[in-house]
Amino acid sequence: MLEKLAELYPHLFGAVFLPLKRGIFQDLLAAHPEVFETESLKAALSTHTRSTRYLNSVASGQMRHDLQGQAVEAMAPEHIHHALVEVFRRRQSRTQEDLQPRLLDRMLEAWEASGLAPQDYAERVRTRDAKASELLEACMALARERTAKGEALLRAFTTSGKTVEAFADMYGLDPEHTAQTLERARTQAA
């Protein structure tokens, strides 16, 4: 069944997986009633969407795609978050290296991309899993710290009357990173 999906839709199920739109099961049945049997298709899609390759595509924050390969809807923050945690678990079980710092960085990126306040993000992505909750709390502590630093930097910049470049130079900061931090702080303040 997976081979047939890859044959019919190589842009979705081929060498590179793309996140699938919600309702793709019904779309596939409607497009190919003579090819797909309901239970077999369900099993194939279940296997596909639980694969590490598919979870990586979800964790990357890509848009969901329809049968034509068109991006049709944004991935929900909670889906990105849960995919990040699951991929981390799978990778961590195969190595002695501590992958948690990289996971926290990726979780912070996902939080920032969501545009949600730390509290709102935490409420959306929270699960009953103790280890996942612990990781989320560590991420949200970093998010609150980053938000506070951004607010302080924005206040200092606003009162300085300087350009971003002059302000960054005055404090020995990277101008590009400073501009990004200021923009994020403005967005979060709005």
Side-chain angles (χ1 to χ4, degrees):
M1 189 63 66
L2 289 171
E3 288 175 7
K4 188 64 172 173
L5 287 169
E7 178 187 315
L8 291 169
Y9 301 100
H11 53 281
L12 295 177
F13 299 95
V16 177
F17 290 174
L18 292 175
L20 304 172
K21 80 178 219 29
R22 289 178 281 188
I24 201 87
F25 172 77
Q26 290 83 4
D27 294 351
L28 286 164
L29 284 177
H32 305 281
E34 72 289 345
V35 175
F36 297 120
E37 190 273 320
T38 303
E39 292 306 314
S40 297
L41 181 58
K42 242 185 239 182
L45 286 175
S46 177
T47 299
H48 176 76
T49 57
R50 286 185 172 99
S51 73
T52 301
R53 283 177 50 205
Y54 182 79
L55 290 173
N56 274 321
S57 73
V58 172
S60 73
Q62 294 182 60
M63 299 279 288
R64 290 181 176 276
H65 294 74
D66 64 13
L67 291 179
Q68 290 70 44
Q70 300 298 310
V72 294
E73 62 183 315
M75 186 64 64
E78 55 271 25
H79 297 161
I80 295 168
H81 177 81
H82 297 308
L84 282 169
V85 171
E86 183 57 30
V87 169
F88 161 75
R89 283 184 177 149
R90 292 177 186 187
R91 287 187 179 150
Q92 190 63 70
S93 71
R94 295 188 317 256
T95 184
Q96 295 297 315
E97 179 186 356
D98 181 11
L99 301 177
Q100 187 168 322
R102 178 65 186 131
L103 171 64
L104 291 175
D105 286 344
R106 295 278 312 274
M107 288 170 73
L108 278 171
E109 290 169 9
W111 159 67
E112 288 175 344
S114 76
L116 297 169
Q119 174 82 15
D120 296 333
Y121 182 82
E123 287 175 19
R124 270 189 83 169
V125 305
R126 191 169 316 281
T127 69
R128 292 183 183 134
D129 180 274
K131 180 63 177 170
S133 293
E134 182 182 306
L135 290 167
L136 177 61
E137 287 308 315
C139 176
M140 292 299 91
L142 291 171
R144 287 187 294 275
E145 180 181 317
R146 185 177 284 186
T147 298
K149 285 181 180 179
E151 289 169 355
L153 189 70
L154 181 58
R155 279 193 304 277
F157 171 72
T158 302
T159 59
S160 75
K162 306 265 185 203
T163 66
V164 172
E165 293 76 19
F167 178 79
D169 185 56
M170 189 168 65
Y171 288 101
L173 302 171
D174 174 73
E176 185 176 329
H177 179 71
T178 301
Q180 291 170 349
T181 302
L182 291 169
E183 183 57 35
R184 186 172 44 245
R186 283 186 194 104
T187 302
Q188 290 171 346

